[in-house]
Amino acid sequence: MGHPPLEFSDCYLDSPDFRERLKCYEQELERTNKFIKDVIKDGNALISAMRNYSSAVQKFSQTLQSFQFDFIGDTLTDDEINIAESFKEFAELLNEVENERMMMVHNASDLLIKPLENFRKEQIGFTKERKKKFEKDGERFYSLLDRHLHLSSKKKESQLQEADLQVDKERHNFFESSLDYVYQIQEVQESKKFNIVEPVLAFLHSLFISNSLTVELTQDFLPYKQQLQLSLQNTRNHFSSTREEMEELKKRMKEAPQTCKLPGQPTIEGYLYTQEKWALGISWVKYYCQYEKETKTLTMTPMDQKPGAKQQGPLDLTLKYCVRRKTESIDKRFCFDIETNERPGTITLQALSEANRRLWMEAMDGKEPIYHSPITKQEEMELNEVGFKFVRKCINIIETKGIKTEGLYRTVGSNIQVQKLLNAFFDPKCPGDVDFHNSDWDIKTITSSLKFYLRNLSEPVMTYRLHKELVSAAKSDNLDYRLGAIHSLVYKLPEKNREMLELLIRHLVNVCEHSKENLMTPSNMGVIFGPTLMRAQEDTVAAMMNIKFQNIVVEILIEHFVKIYSGPPEESTAPPVPPPRVTARRHKPITISKRLLRERTVVYTSSLDESEGDSDNFSKVRPPGEKPTIIRPPVRPPDPPCRATTTQKPEPKPDVMAGNAGEIPSSVAVHGTWLASVCRVASRTRFFETASRKTGSSQGRLPGDES
């Protein structure tokens, strides 16, 4: 089980449970930092000590074997499973070849050491700086708050106002520091999946390909490498999509933290001070209070910030009534009285501010009514006839003129042009009266307008009601159950929603059929349309972490469109059950260490120059007593194969040894069609490595558009 997400709303409350969960993240960050240092240390030892090569590989292997990723959330995607198991696979592979003498490539430091060092210094180091600022601002705020709450109400009004402003300023600074720290530590926790694995993957690739004695091993390693690259790229895409949503949530939390209440939580919670009467006088005790309006239950947990103080258990009270305390009746500010069934007499409570007191009194139905200014809601679009007409027109023009456009739906249009098109089409006076063939509307403007319309529906196409069931189905590790459950849930959608979903998925299938030209695969379309067709009703970090499973739902709908829309499942009322099998078909992590071993043949060539000049060189068995010639490895691991299809030749070429992964030698024919498919998909992911740079200069991006 991974760490629970840190909600931005908890930054405002700063509860003890929040501090405990934050401590777990800090420990994980320190563990990751230590792990990176170990990898860097062991990698340097491997490079500098050739005579100790075998022992260095063993140590490095053990280091990788000992590390286990901790992910946010309760379920991993198939790609994350591949990533989580990757270090174990690397370790097994190193153990297999530890007895063979291998040469270290000259650029190993650039591939392994520098990226990890940069990640440790720039990301983890920056997170530690955020931590120091968070702790410093927190100490300053609580110290000032304690002094502030002891101010007498008899002081001058100007002094009290100045003190209030100072407390509000420090509270704001502490809240912003807390938000920044929580955001940063979760971002590092998520981004380490690929920022740590990718350098190790690149290092291993250069390590194996640098020695002609391991050419056959390298050929076996290539399919795994490419599949893991796809998993890393998919995970990176999911991360980018999730980060955009989390940045929007963080921005909303900064603007109005009280409006983002999570479902299932108390009506109101926070710190209060309680007046305690003793024989020798009166004292004020700090409590963390939680009030549930439906049951009128007030839970008070005594708090003492002093180290070593004994903690008492929480106290549950049933509220009878609440009334504001008159200012002149007590020498404290922000006070109100309550009566409970469990304790006789009146309990006097002190809030943290006047605004905080109003919130507590409103929640407890205090005698003074509290009025809030209405919250303006963003204009929403409806799934009506005009909407269907708009979607059909967009699809028609896209499939007619732009279906082969590279980066279709990935490249965003101008915000001004998108708003102009939407305002013109949805004009109440003449809805739908827009000529899409007009030169003003280019393809990227139309695709961005379609995504904007779908994202701003009052309810997503796949509805809030079925959201949890769809995400739960995508989390299953049984592939048959995934398909069966999603197939069944599609037919539980309202008829209008199902019709719109079929229209869109049919279009996305057509787009993916031209993936050789537009580079848009089902996986890529899932990243774009997952948050567009599905979204959780609540805005929480936990919901953002499920975006990757929304993407998987859309990917399944595209890949199995014919089966799903050929008709409803046979027993639509019963939950889908996987077809009878001896063993259920489940996702298995990609592996290389458990592959079938084969007879070893040594590939050699006289030199790199000859291999480049003579394209007819081929693999030969090394004659007895002849030493193999070491081929200089490439400067960096090869890019995924290009989009152009290559003709398979009956005999492998030494280009493979030179790092050309674009052509698969015949010696790996055992991988067959699966490997060819992997290579084709890998070539299409190249677009995403530069998409953000290509579109970074686009003017007027739309909020919510993927980048």
Side-chain angles (χ1 to χ4, degrees):
M1 183 66 68
H3 296 303
L6 293 174
E7 297 295 343
F8 291 140
S9 58
D10 289 341
C11 297
Y12 186 81
L13 299 172
D14 195 28
S15 66
D17 180 63
F18 166 72
R19 288 295 184 121
E20 279 297 319
R21 285 185 279 127
L22 187 59
K23 184 178 179 181
C24 294
Y25 276 73
E26 292 169 350
Q27 292 173 348
E28 173 61 19
L29 186 68
E30 194 60 34
R31 191 170 72 93
T32 303
N33 188 36
K34 182 179 182 302
F35 165 74
I36 294 177
K37 289 181 179 179
D38 291 341
V39 172
I40 293 173
K41 174 185 175 183
D42 299 336
N44 280 324
L46 184 60
I47 296 170
S48 63
M50 289 298 295
R51 61 183 175 274
N52 297 325
Y53 178 77
S54 181
S55 60
V57 171
Q58 181 64 33
K59 178 65 174 66
F60 187 69
S61 172
Q62 292 173 357
T63 303
L64 296 179
Q65 184 78 31
S66 64
F67 185 76
Q68 179 63 42
F69 278 106
D70 285 336
F71 296 89
I72 298 177
D74 57 354
T75 309
L76 305 182
T77 65
D78 295 345
D79 294 315
E80 288 173 337
I81 293 174
N82 294 338
I83 294 173
E85 296 294 325
S86 60
F87 283 150
K88 293 182 180 179
E89 294 295 325
F90 297 157
E92 291 293 333
L93 199 57
L94 288 173
N95 288 331
E96 182 182 338
V97 297
E98 65 174 325
N99 294 325
E100 293 191 24
R101 304 287 295 179
M102 300 180 67
M103 187 182 80
M104 187 62 197
V105 294
H106 299 295
N107 65 330
S109 178
D110 293 334
L111 291 177
L112 177 67
I113 307 301
K114 289 183 180 179
L116 292 179
E117 195 69 60
N118 291 338
F119 178 78
R120 189 177 69 86
K121 291 180 179 179
E122 297 174 4
Q123 297 296 324
I124 297 181
F126 182 67
T127 304
K128 290 184 176 181
E129 293 177 4
R130 290 285 192 188
K131 177 185 177 182
K132 291 179 182 178
K133 187 175 185 301
F134 165 74
E135 292 175 344
K136 183 178 178 181
D137 290 348
E139 183 179 353
R140 185 190 303 117
F141 167 66
Y142 282 114
S143 176
L144 180 62
L145 182 62
D146 286 338
R147 294 198 305 270
H148 177 68
L149 295 174
H150 284 83
L151 288 177
S152 172
S153 61
K154 295 180 180 179
K155 287 186 177 292
K156 293 182 180 181
E157 184 64 25
S158 60
Q159 292 178 331
L160 295 176
Q161 290 179 356
E162 183 179 357
D164 290 347
L165 290 175
Q166 189 175 2
V167 169
D168 289 339
K169 181 180 177 181
E170 290 300 327
R171 180 187 291 109
H172 179 73
N173 290 340
F174 175 55
F175 179 48
E176 282 200 345
S177 298
S178 180
L179 276 175
D180 292 339
Y181 179 42
V182 167
Y183 175 81
Q184 180 64 25
I185 198 170
Q186 290 193 118
E187 181 172 355
V188 171
Q189 178 74 358
E190 281 289 281
S191 65
K192 71 178 183 182
K193 298 174 189 174
F194 43 83
N195 279 328
I196 298 178
V197 177
E198 281 182 328
V200 179
L201 176 64
F203 169 74
L204 289 179
H205 179 75
S206 65
L207 181 67
F208 294 137
I209 208 170
S210 65
N211 195 323
S212 61
L213 293 176
T214 60
V215 169
E216 289 184 356
L217 177 62
T218 302
Q219 293 171 356
D220 290 340
F221 178 70
L222 283 175
Y224 174 81
K225 167 186 170 285
Q226 291 171 340
Q227 185 62 44
L228 186 56
Q229 279 182 323
L230 292 180
S231 295
L232 291 168
Q233 189 61 55
N234 289 338
T235 304
R236 187 191 294 274
N237 292 339
H238 295 322
F239 168 77
S240 299
S241 176
T242 303
R243 182 172 59 180
E244 291 174 4
E245 298 292 337
M246 289 183 66
E247 286 175 349
E248 288 295 322
L249 177 59
K250 175 186 170 185
K251 182 179 178 181
R252 292 196 297 272
M253 282 298 306
K254 281 187 176 181
E255 295 172 352
Q258 290 291 345
T259 62
C260 298
K261 177 182 176 295
L262 301 181
Q265 288 194 343
T267 306
I268 189 172
E269 56 183 323
Y271 288 101
L272 293 174
Y273 287 78
T274 303
Q275 186 185 65
E276 301 285 353
K277 297 180 180 180
W278 309 98
L280 300 179
I282 297 175
S283 65
W284 291 84
V285 181
K286 188 177 182 179
Y287 286 84
Y288 188 80
C289 301
Q290 298 173 302
Y291 179 69
E292 185 59 54
K293 191 170 184 177
E294 294 182 359
T295 60
K296 293 189 174 183
T297 301
L298 177 65
T299 302
M300 302 176 65
T301 304
M303 299 297 303
D304 194 336
Q305 301 291 346
K306 297 178 182 179
K310 184 179 180 180
Q311 296 287 340
Q312 301 177 2
L315 177 66
D316 291 332
L317 303 174
T318 305
L319 185 71
K320 292 173 66 176
Y321 78 90
C322 168
V323 63
R324 181 180 67 85
R325 185 70 177 261
K326 293 183 179 180
T327 305
E328 61 272 12
S329 66
I330 190 171
D331 189 26
K332 292 286 183 181
R333 307 173 67 204
F334 321 134
C335 294
F336 59 99
D337 294 335
I338 64 171
E339 278 197 12
T340 64
N341 295 331
E342 290 77 9
R343 291 179 61 174
T346 301
I347 302 175
T348 301
L349 303 175
Q350 183 186 24
L352 304 182
S353 65
E354 182 61 34
N356 187 240
R357 178 173 67 175
R358 287 199 300 268
L359 292 173
W360 279 100
M361 290 189 62
E362 182 186 34
M364 294 181 173
D365 295 326
K367 289 188 176 180
E368 293 186 1
I370 304 299
Y371 299 96
H372 290 287
S373 59
I375 300 175
T376 58
K377 191 174 184 182
Q378 181 184 4
E379 292 186 5
E380 296 170 336
M381 297 183 175
E382 299 296 333
L383 199 62
N384 51 24
E385 292 182 5
V386 179
F388 270 92
K389 183 178 180 181
F390 175 73
V391 173
R392 289 191 178 98
K393 277 198 169 187
C394 288
I395 290 175
N396 181 60
I397 194 69
I398 291 169
E399 294 189 352
T400 302
K401 293 188 174 182
I403 199 166
K404 295 183 179 181
T405 303
E406 185 172 313
L408 185 65
Y409 283 109
R410 190 76 183 187
T411 307
V412 298
S414 167
N415 187 22
I416 297 175
Q417 288 296 99
V418 169
Q419 292 296 335
K420 183 179 177 181
L421 174 58
L422 291 170
N423 291 337
F425 195 94
F426 291 95
D427 186 356
K429 297 180 181 179
C430 50
D433 188 15
V434 176
D435 181 13
F436 277 62
H437 294 275
N438 192 312
S439 59
D440 291 342
W441 318 124
D442 56 16
I443 291 299
K444 62 184 179 182
T445 298
I446 295 173
T447 56
S448 295
S449 301
L450 177 58
K451 290 187 292 183
F452 185 89
Y453 164 74
L454 295 171
R455 274 214 167 190
N456 286 273
L457 289 171
S458 56
E459 185 177 24
V461 173
M462 302 188 75
T463 72
Y464 292 131
R465 182 175 61 88
L466 297 179
H467 181 83
K468 289 184 179 179
E469 295 182 65
L470 287 164
V471 170
S472 177
K475 289 181 177 181
S476 173
D477 62 348
N478 188 307
L479 303 182
D480 294 317
Y481 178 80
R482 280 189 204 174
L483 176 58
I486 293 174
H487 187 181
S488 176
L489 291 170
V490 164
Y491 286 88
K492 292 183 180 180
L493 290 170
E495 184 176 352
K496 184 169 54 176
N497 296 63
R498 189 168 68 249
E499 182 182 351
M500 175 61 77
L501 182 63
E502 181 178 1
L503 180 66
L504 291 167
I505 300 300
R506 187 187 302 276
H507 167 60
L508 298 184
V509 171
N510 293 337
V511 171
C512 293
E513 287 178 352
H514 296 81
S515 58
K516 288 185 178 180
E517 293 85 9
N518 58 36
L519 303 182
M520 304 309 292
T521 63
S523 176
N524 299 337
M525 300 307 295
V527 172
I528 296 172
F529 280 89
T532 303
L533 300 178
M534 293 177 63
R535 63 177 182 270
Q537 195 161 11
E538 66 278 358
D539 283 337
T540 64
V541 175
M544 303 303 173
M545 292 302 170
N546 280 332
I547 289 179
K548 54 194 174 186
F549 295 105
Q550 298 173 193
N551 303 345
I552 291 175
V553 171
V554 175
E555 185 178 347
I556 290 174
L557 290 174
I558 295 173
E559 291 178 340
H560 301 279
F561 173 78
V562 175
K563 176 179 176 60
I564 291 175
Y565 282 98
S566 61
E570 296 179 0
E571 298 181 4
S572 57
T573 56
V577 178
R581 293 174 179 267
V582 177
T583 57
R585 185 171 64 96
R586 297 179 180 274
H587 171 75
K588 296 180 180 179
I590 56 175
T591 180
I592 184 175
S593 58
K594 297 180 177 60
R595 72 193 187 286
L596 293 176
L597 299 180
R598 57 188 178 184
E599 293 184 5
R600 264 190 150 354
T601 58
V602 179
V603 180
Y604 74 97
T605 182
S606 58
S607 67
L608 181 62
D609 295 335
E610 291 180 10
S611 66
E612 291 177 351
D614 185 5
S615 60
D616 293 329
N617 285 341
F618 55 89
S619 301
K620 299 179 181 179
V621 178
R622 178 163 51 91
E626 181 178 341
K627 295 183 178 180
T629 302
I630 302 299
I631 301 173
R632 183 177 178 179
V635 176
R636 60 181 294 276
D639 290 329
C642 61
R643 285 186 290 153
T645 57
T646 57
T647 305
Q648 297 290 332
K649 294 193 176 182
E651 294 178 344
K653 293 184 178 182
D655 286 346
V656 177
M657 295 157 52
N660 182 8
E663 185 171 359
I664 307 302
S666 59
S667 59
V668 291
V670 67
H671 300 288
T673 307
W674 176 83
L675 177 56
S677 175
V678 168
C679 295
R680 286 196 299 272
V681 178
S683 68
R684 294 160 195 160
T685 63
R686 294 178 61 191
F687 171 77
F688 291 90
E689 298 177 359
T690 56
S692 58
R693 294 194 291 271
K694 288 182 180 179
T695 60
S697 59
S698 299
Q699 297 180 355
R701 287 191 177 188
L702 280 175
D705 271 335
E706 291 73 9
S707 58

